[in-house]
Amino acid sequence: MGTSGDEENGVAGLGRPGGTGQVAGGWGNGDLGSSDDRAQFSALLEDSVEDLYEHAPCGYLSTLLDGRIAKVNTTLLDWLGYERDDLLGRRHFSDLLTVGGRLYHETHFAPLLGMQGEVSGIALELKAADGSRLPVLVTSTVRTGRDGRPLLIRTTLFDARDRRAYETELLRARKEAERERERLQRLAATLQKTLLPPTLANVPGLDVSAYYHIASVDEVGGDFYDLFPLAEGTWGLFLGDVCGKGAAAAAVTSLTRYTLRAAAVYNPDPDAVLRNLNTVLNHEYNGADPRFCTVIFGLLTPDPDRGGFHITLASGGHPPALLMRADGTTDYLPTPGGQLIGVLADAHIATTAVRLAPGDTLLLHTDGLTEAHVNAVDGVDRYGDDALLDFARTLAPTTASATVDAIRDLLDTFGSGVDDDTAVLAIHVPRPPSEELQ
Amino acid sequence: MLAHGFGCDQNMWRLVVPALERDFTVVLFDHVGAGNSDLSAWSPDRYSTLDGYVEDVLELCRELALGPVTFVGHSVSAMMGVVAAVREPEAFAGLVLLAPSPRFVDDPETGYRGGFDAEDIDELLGSLDANYLGWSGAMAPVIMGNPERPELGEELTNSFCRTDPDIARVFARVTFLSDNREDLALVKVPTLVAQCASDAIAPREVGEFVHARIPGSRLVTLDATGHCPQLAAPEETTAAITSFVEALA
């Protein structure tokens, strides 16, 4: 105690005339010009040195290295409602803290102070004699002797009630913003779900699988697909990508989906289906905000003689389908020249027809997959059509679900490189069980 | 093997490591979620009980294959050592439990006094929330603005005692809501209980409780104030660890 008291008497040293004279001198050129004024002013400061410490607008506290309180100013005593003798030599700084503050002090504050010699601006709460709480901002420095050994700890405490109220408000606003974001994400996810079929139609003799990869949880993407029954023994399927994201794109997606479904009932010829869609989108969005999409539409009919299915595909500017044959040969089914749907009044639609034999698998995808960023090789940083073709060749012959699973895993390896939504739809004609056994 | 407790990281050991290194191979690590650990390895599932941490310690022992180690666990890590040694006693030559507490909350039913009532713990978890802003913002300039101590490199200054608030909250729950009293009697490896003379977090009767429950354990009371004897009384802490390990040999 004695030693620390002596050390702390250094505070009084601030009051030496030389120090105060300088301050007075700095101001002395104007109003304090007369010697009377100067003497008065000086006397005022001289008197106030002890007072400056005792009644400073912040709490002062000096503690021994073990935390025992060696010196405390009146401001802090008044805040806490303690007598000086209650604290000096009897209590530790951490005794003045709430339990939470005490734990924080022990586990963070004290170790940091020991390591750095200074810790500042830490929010803690004091517990007053009457049990009330006072939020403060605490700064501590370690005072060392000439030999560099730590002697004691000096601490200032600032009343932080206003700041704490402000922080509490900030915290509340931050939590609210986090909740809102979660709500938005839930909403986007729900909206996304309503734009996709809950289940795909069951087509006898066909194995079907689809996957939708969401690139951003904050926004609704513009990819879509469906597979649905048409007139007896025929099925329609489509997969596409509306330009843009968010609510506006979702509205176009919705219009596109229902138009495709209705157009296919009206005239199931794939070329006609896409023409009708083109007309609808072109009429709807012909103003300053053009909206368009790429889409591939297929009409499936079973082949009663040889087994398997016939499929006629029509494409409006969409990446071509991939055909993986039962014998392992794999290639794109080109549909060149098809134009974006919705831009021109009379878009050109490209069609192709193919028979899916038992063991064959057809894959439709959106360009989120091939446009995914991958590690740059030879200056190319997109995954690309060729890489997808090579990948498909390693899969063939395969099934619908195995294809979709493999692409899902592939997308996972891209991680955040997939910056656009991706939809994939695979159909596969299983081999008859007799062949399967061989 | 030195395991730091709640708050801060392996730098807690910096005052005892130089002396210990003269006689022993010292293994230091940051718990997942603390210091310079890979934060992406942290998950609330694995680390919302002591088990995740215990598994980490055991994995560390297996991976390093140093043979039976002396595990020095501070605060909550002392109980990680206890659980780990109960689970795989062959991995440990001895345990040093530094300022241990098997349960911080009082248990009126059994008359156990951990030093805190349930209200206190609620207040602690509340204060972690209050420091949410402080931890993520205000602490950083404080830690980095340290021109007199250039040896505290950027890497260190950014990490020491600075924990992701969400992780800190989960770790605080694990630390202050765990109850490992039952595990103490199952410890079969030589154990030293080293408590502080005046510790606001783990009072002396808690250290005595741990000593009484662990069969054959030794108890030393370090002349240190606070919960961190490795900082407050590094020489004495080192001496206690050294003489314990030498007696094992």
Side-chain angles (χ1 to χ4, degrees):
Chain A
M1 266 290 299
T3 354
S4 70
D6 292 345
E7 287 298 333
E8 283 303 84
N9 285 339
V11 171
L14 285 175
R16 278 195 297 271
T20 52
Q22 266 182 354
V23 175
W27 286 3
N29 300 331
D31 300 342
L32 295 168
S34 80
S35 59
D36 273 5
D37 282 352
R38 208 175 298 159
Q40 206 181 350
F41 187 69
S42 174
L44 196 66
L45 284 181
E46 200 80 336
D47 277 353
S48 67
V49 171
E50 189 62 21
D51 196 52
L52 189 65
Y53 175 80
E54 288 298 341
H55 296 107
C58 64
Y60 275 116
L61 190 69
S62 301
T63 49
L64 302 186
L65 294 176
D66 68 4
R68 259 183 305 155
I69 296 170
K71 193 171 166 78
V72 55
N73 76 344
T74 309
T75 307
L76 187 56
L77 290 171
D78 288 349
W79 283 353
L80 295 173
Y82 283 116
E83 295 299 323
R84 203 172 296 270
D85 288 344
D86 296 340
L87 301 183
L88 293 193
R90 293 169 197 273
R91 307 288 289 271
H92 294 80
F93 172 50
S94 62
D95 296 336
L96 304 179
L97 302 172
T98 57
V99 171
R102 202 146 71 218
L103 288 168
Y104 187 80
H105 180 266
E106 294 292 328
T107 55
H108 291 78
F109 191 97
L112 260 181
L113 183 62
M115 180 156 175
Q116 305 180 158
E118 185 189 61
V119 173
S120 68
I122 301 296
L124 292 172
E125 262 190 333
L126 298 180
K127 205 160 72 178
D130 65 2
S132 63
R133 307 294 156 94
L134 176 70
V136 286
L137 284 177
V138 180
T139 295
S140 288
T141 55
V142 176
R143 179 168 153 73
T144 52
R146 283 202 187 82
D147 58 354
R149 285 181 73 86
L151 295 171
L152 51 85
I153 298 163
R154 284 181 181 158
T155 299
T156 54
L157 305 100
F158 285 88
D159 181 345
R161 274 173 296 196
D162 285 351
R163 179 177 150 146
R164 184 62 53 82
Y166 172 68
E167 282 187 348
T168 307
E169 184 56 25
L170 262 183
L171 195 59
R172 197 193 58 72
R174 180 164 169 168
K175 282 187 173 159
E176 172 125 358
E178 276 163 14
R179 267 200 303 278
E180 282 301 310
R181 180 155 188 265
E182 274 167 27
R183 207 174 65 86
L184 183 70
Q185 290 178 351
R186 270 203 307 278
L187 201 66
T190 309
L191 182 55
Q192 191 82 69
K193 246 184 260 167
T194 64
L195 294 175
L196 297 174
T199 52
L200 294 169
N202 176 34
V203 183
L206 196 70
D207 160 33
V208 178
S209 185
Y211 174 60
Y212 193 98
H213 177 88
I214 297 171
S216 160
V217 290
D218 294 317
E219 269 195 310
V220 188
D223 291 5
F224 58 89
Y225 62 80
D226 204 353
L227 172 69
F228 51 97
L230 286 167
E232 186 77 20
T234 61
W235 285 268
L237 62 87
F238 58 76
L239 177 139
D241 181 1
V242 163
C243 75
K245 279 186 175 191
V252 185
T253 306
S254 186
L255 176 65
T256 301
R257 268 174 52 77
Y258 290 109
T259 302
L260 284 169
R261 292 284 298 249
V265 172
Y266 172 69
N267 180 353
D269 172 42
D271 178 77
V273 170
L274 292 196
R275 267 175 205 295
N276 282 321
L277 174 65
N278 184 67
T279 305
V280 168
L281 289 185
N282 189 247
H283 286 179
E284 183 71 21
Y285 299 103
N286 60 355
D289 181 27
R291 294 280 170 177
F292 49 87
C293 68
T294 68
V295 61
I296 193 160
F297 181 93
L299 182 66
L300 266 174
T301 46
D303 181 337
D305 304 326
R306 293 183 290 167
F309 288 80
H310 291 286
I311 184 165
T312 306
L313 291 168
S315 169
H318 196 81
L322 248 173
L323 180 58
M324 292 170 274
R325 290 293 193 187
D327 65 3
T329 52
T330 297
D331 244 312
Y332 285 112
L333 275 179
T335 36
Q339 292 173 320
L340 287 176
I341 303 293
V343 181
L344 303 171
D346 189 20
H348 181 257
I349 309 295
T351 57
T352 185
V354 69
R355 176 176 167 265
L356 299 178
D360 293 350
T361 303
L362 184 75
L363 171 71
L364 308 181
H365 70 280
T366 58
D367 64 5
L369 173 58
T370 46
E371 295 286 296
H373 293 274
V374 290
N375 293 335
V377 177
D378 302 329
V380 182
D381 76 330
R382 307 278 184 172
Y383 183 61
D385 296 334
D386 293 343
L388 179 61
L389 182 59
D390 290 343
F391 181 75
R393 283 183 173 140
T394 66
L395 300 178
T398 180
T399 64
S401 53
T403 305
V404 168
D405 287 349
I407 291 197
R408 219 175 160 137
D409 292 344
L410 179 67
L411 286 166
D412 282 345
T413 65
F414 296 158
S416 59
V418 189
D419 52 13
D420 198 4
D421 284 21
T422 301
V424 289
L425 172 64
I427 58 175
H428 165 73
V429 184
R431 293 166 203 262
S434 55
E435 258 180 71
E436 204 79 64
L437 288 173
Q438 295 161 13
Chain B
M1 182 178 292
L2 309 181
H4 71 85
F6 171 70
C8 305
D9 61 19
Q10 58 177 276
N11 285 291
M12 291 293 281
W13 300 108
R14 72 192 185 284
L15 300 183
V16 298
V17 166
L20 288 175
E21 267 178 344
R22 280 199 286 275
D23 298 322
F24 311 110
T25 304
V26 176
V27 178
L28 290 170
F29 67 99
D30 294 337
H31 284 301
V32 171
N36 283 327
S37 65
D38 176 6
L39 293 189
S40 68
W42 188 87
S43 76
D45 285 346
R46 182 173 170 95
Y47 295 103
S48 56
T49 66
L50 272 190
D51 261 3
Y53 294 99
V54 170
E55 279 307 312
D56 284 354
V57 168
L58 292 172
E59 271 174 38
L60 211 53
C61 292
R62 280 193 288 270
E63 192 66 32
L64 296 174
L66 296 168
V69 298
T70 302
F71 179 91
V72 182
H74 175 227
S75 190
V76 66
S77 287
M79 287 307 125
M80 294 175 196
V82 163
V83 177
V86 168
R87 207 167 287 174
E88 288 184 24
E90 61 283 0
F92 300 93
L95 289 180
V96 178
L97 310 180
L98 211 52
S101 175
R103 175 180 160 122
F104 288 93
V105 193
D106 299 339
D107 182 6
E109 269 181 38
T110 61
Y112 170 83
R113 291 209 33 210
F116 298 92
D117 58 34
E119 212 175 293
D120 292 338
I121 298 299
D122 283 348
E123 194 176 305
L124 161 74
L125 299 174
S127 77
L128 284 176
D129 266 337
N131 262 305
Y132 191 101
L133 290 163
W135 287 20
S136 51
M139 284 289 276
V142 174
I143 297 171
M144 287 187 284
N146 192 23
E148 309 93 284
R149 301 278 302 276
E151 74 272 21
L152 303 177
E154 179 101 55
E155 198 184 0
L156 179 63
T157 52
N158 282 340
S159 64
F160 184 63
C161 286
R162 191 154 176 251
T163 321
D164 178 294
D166 290 328
I167 294 178
R169 195 173 310 126
V170 176
F171 197 17
R173 283 191 165 276
V174 173
T175 303
F176 297 106
L177 299 178
S178 289
D179 184 350
N180 297 98
R181 288 174 296 170
E182 301 285 319
D183 296 307
L184 299 175
L186 307 175
V187 173
K188 297 281 192 295
V189 303
T191 300
L192 172 70
V193 179
Q195 63 177 1
C196 293
S198 169
D199 182 346
I201 294 185
R204 283 171 76 151
E205 59 180 299
V206 172
E208 278 149 19
F209 179 91
V210 173
H211 166 55
R213 290 297 171 96
I214 297 183
S217 64
R218 280 181 46 212
L219 175 71
V220 295
T221 302
L222 305 167
D223 185 20
T225 301
H227 188 54
C228 306
Q230 70 272 54
L231 292 176
E235 289 90 4
E236 213 186 333
T237 305
T238 309
I241 296 172
T242 305
S243 67
F244 171 72
V245 179
E246 277 166 358
L248 288 176

